[in-house]
Protein backbone atom coordinates (compact mmCIF):
# COMPACT_ATOMS: atom_id res chain seq x y z
CA UNK A 1 0.00 0.00 0.00
CA UNK A 2 1.04 3.60 -0.47
CA UNK A 3 2.28 5.86 2.33
CA UNK A 4 0.37 8.91 3.52
CA UNK A 5 2.22 11.17 1.08
CA UNK A 6 0.26 9.57 -1.78
CA UNK A 7 -3.18 9.54 -0.11
CA UNK A 8 -6.36 10.93 -1.67
CA UNK A 9 -6.48 13.91 0.73
CA UNK A 10 -3.36 15.24 -1.02
CA UNK A 11 -5.48 16.29 -4.02
CA UNK A 12 -7.15 18.89 -1.80
CA UNK A 13 -4.37 20.08 0.54
CA UNK A 14 -3.20 22.97 -1.67
CA UNK A 15 0.39 21.68 -1.65
CA UNK A 16 2.28 21.23 -4.90
CA UNK A 17 4.61 18.78 -3.13
CA UNK A 18 2.02 16.11 -2.36
CA UNK A 19 -0.14 14.07 -4.70
CA UNK A 20 -2.56 11.16 -5.04
CA UNK A 21 -0.95 8.20 -6.76
CA UNK A 22 -3.37 5.53 -7.98
CA UNK A 23 -2.67 1.82 -7.98
CA UNK A 24 -1.89 0.05 -11.27
CA UNK A 25 -4.71 -1.03 -13.59
CA UNK A 26 -7.72 0.53 -15.23
CA UNK A 27 -10.10 2.11 -14.70
CA UNK A 28 -9.11 4.50 -11.92
CA UNK A 29 -11.53 7.08 -10.53
CA UNK A 30 -12.23 9.80 -7.97
CA UNK A 31 -15.64 9.72 -6.29
CA UNK A 32 -16.95 12.88 -4.61
CA UNK A 33 -19.87 12.88 -2.19
CA UNK A 34 -20.89 16.45 -1.40
CA UNK A 35 -23.02 17.12 1.72
CA UNK A 36 -25.79 18.48 -0.53
CA UNK A 37 -26.63 19.27 -4.15
CA UNK A 38 -23.99 21.45 -5.84
CA UNK A 39 -23.91 23.38 -9.08
CA UNK A 40 -20.44 22.84 -10.46
CA UNK A 41 -19.38 25.38 -13.08
CA UNK A 42 -15.99 23.80 -13.73
CA UNK A 43 -13.19 21.79 -12.23
CA UNK A 44 -9.43 22.25 -12.29
CA UNK A 45 -7.05 19.34 -12.12
CA UNK A 46 -3.26 19.03 -12.15
CA UNK A 47 -1.74 15.72 -13.21
CA UNK A 48 1.84 14.54 -13.39
CA UNK A 49 2.86 14.31 -17.04
CA UNK A 50 3.12 10.70 -18.13
CA UNK A 51 0.44 9.66 -15.60
CA UNK A 52 -2.56 11.37 -17.19
CA UNK A 53 -5.89 9.81 -18.19
CA UNK A 54 -6.51 9.72 -21.94
CA UNK A 55 -10.09 10.85 -21.25
CA UNK A 56 -12.07 11.87 -18.17
CA UNK A 57 -15.68 10.71 -17.94
CA UNK A 58 -17.72 13.01 -15.68
CA UNK A 59 -20.42 10.81 -14.13
CA UNK A 60 -23.21 12.05 -11.86
CA UNK A 61 -25.61 10.55 -9.34
CA UNK A 62 -25.83 7.14 -7.72
CA UNK A 63 -26.46 5.58 -11.14
CA UNK A 64 -23.30 7.26 -12.52
CA UNK A 65 -24.97 8.87 -15.54
CA UNK A 66 -22.47 10.20 -18.08
CA UNK A 67 -22.62 14.02 -18.05
CA UNK A 68 -19.70 14.72 -20.37
CA UNK A 69 -16.32 13.43 -21.48
CA UNK A 70 -13.23 15.67 -21.58
CA UNK A 71 -9.75 15.10 -22.96
CA UNK A 72 -6.85 16.28 -20.80
CA UNK A 73 -3.42 17.18 -22.16
CA UNK A 74 -0.52 14.98 -21.02
CA UNK A 75 1.47 17.56 -19.03
CA UNK A 76 2.02 19.05 -15.56
CA UNK A 77 -0.08 22.18 -16.10
CA UNK A 78 -3.34 22.88 -14.24
CA UNK A 79 -6.20 22.18 -16.65
CA UNK A 80 -9.70 23.65 -16.40
CA UNK A 81 -12.81 21.90 -17.69
CA UNK A 82 -16.13 23.75 -17.88
CA UNK A 83 -19.18 21.77 -16.73
CA UNK A 84 -22.01 24.26 -17.27
CA UNK A 85 -25.34 22.88 -16.13
CA UNK A 86 -23.82 20.23 -13.87
CA UNK A 87 -25.79 19.88 -10.66
CA UNK A 88 -25.23 16.90 -8.38
CA UNK A 89 -24.51 15.60 -4.91
CA UNK A 90 -22.45 12.62 -6.09
CA UNK A 91 -19.79 13.05 -8.79
CA UNK A 92 -17.37 10.52 -10.21
CA UNK A 93 -14.38 11.36 -12.39
CA UNK A 94 -13.65 8.12 -14.21
CA UNK A 95 -10.29 7.52 -15.88
CA UNK A 96 -10.76 4.52 -18.24
CA UNK A 97 -7.16 4.55 -19.51
CA UNK A 98 -3.87 6.30 -18.84
CA UNK A 99 -0.82 7.55 -20.72
CA UNK A 100 1.11 5.36 -18.25
CA UNK A 101 1.70 1.78 -19.47
CA UNK A 102 0.54 0.39 -16.11
CA UNK A 103 -2.62 2.54 -15.95
CA UNK A 104 -1.48 4.71 -13.07
CA UNK A 105 -2.83 8.24 -12.56
CA UNK A 106 -1.09 10.92 -10.49
CA UNK A 107 -3.12 13.97 -9.35
CA UNK A 108 -1.48 16.90 -7.54
CA UNK A 109 -4.57 19.08 -7.31
CA UNK A 110 -8.31 18.82 -7.85
CA UNK A 111 -10.57 21.80 -7.30
CA UNK A 112 -14.30 22.19 -8.02
CA UNK A 113 -15.63 25.67 -8.74
CA UNK A 114 -19.07 25.59 -7.17
CA UNK A 115 -22.12 27.81 -6.98
CA UNK A 116 -24.38 26.66 -4.14
Amino acid sequence: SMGREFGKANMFDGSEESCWNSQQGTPQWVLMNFPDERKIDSFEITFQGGFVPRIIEVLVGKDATLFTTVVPVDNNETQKFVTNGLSCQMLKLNFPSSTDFYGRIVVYRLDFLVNS
Side-chain angles (χ1 to χ4, degrees):
S1 73
M2 297 288 174
R4 286 188 192 279
E5 65 272 22
F6 298 115
K8 60 184 182 262
N10 292 331
M11 288 186 283
F12 307 105
D13 67 0
S15 168
E16 295 184 6
E17 301 299 313
S18 62
C19 64
W20 169 67
N21 191 341
S22 80
Q23 300 294 326
Q24 294 184 16
T26 53
Q28 298 292 337
W29 65 86
V30 174
L31 182 64
M32 301 296 301
N33 263 312
F34 300 109
D36 46 37
E37 188 93 357
R38 301 288 166 96
K39 291 190 176 83
I40 300 170
D41 293 329
S42 62
F43 67 94
E44 294 181 350
I45 191 163
T46 308
F47 296 104
Q48 179 177 320
F51 298 89
V52 176
R54 295 184 190 285
I55 64 168
I56 303 171
E57 296 171 338
V58 180
L59 308 168
V60 296
K62 288 190 170 103
D63 56 353
T65 303
L66 182 63
F67 178 79
T68 191
T69 301
V70 297
V71 180
V73 178
D74 185 2
N75 65 23
N76 302 331
E77 302 295 316
T78 297
Q79 302 179 53
K80 181 175 183 174
F81 299 100
V82 175
T83 52
N84 286 336
L86 176 56
S87 183
C88 64
Q89 186 168 351
M90 186 181 285
L91 174 74
K92 182 177 183 179
L93 300 180
N94 193 50
F95 312 129
S97 63
S98 171
T99 58
D100 173 55
F101 178 79
Y102 297 103
R104 295 168 297 187
I105 305 289
V106 177
V107 178
Y108 278 87
R109 178 172 161 262
L110 176 59
D111 193 23
F112 295 94
L113 288 86
V114 173
N115 283 333
S116 298

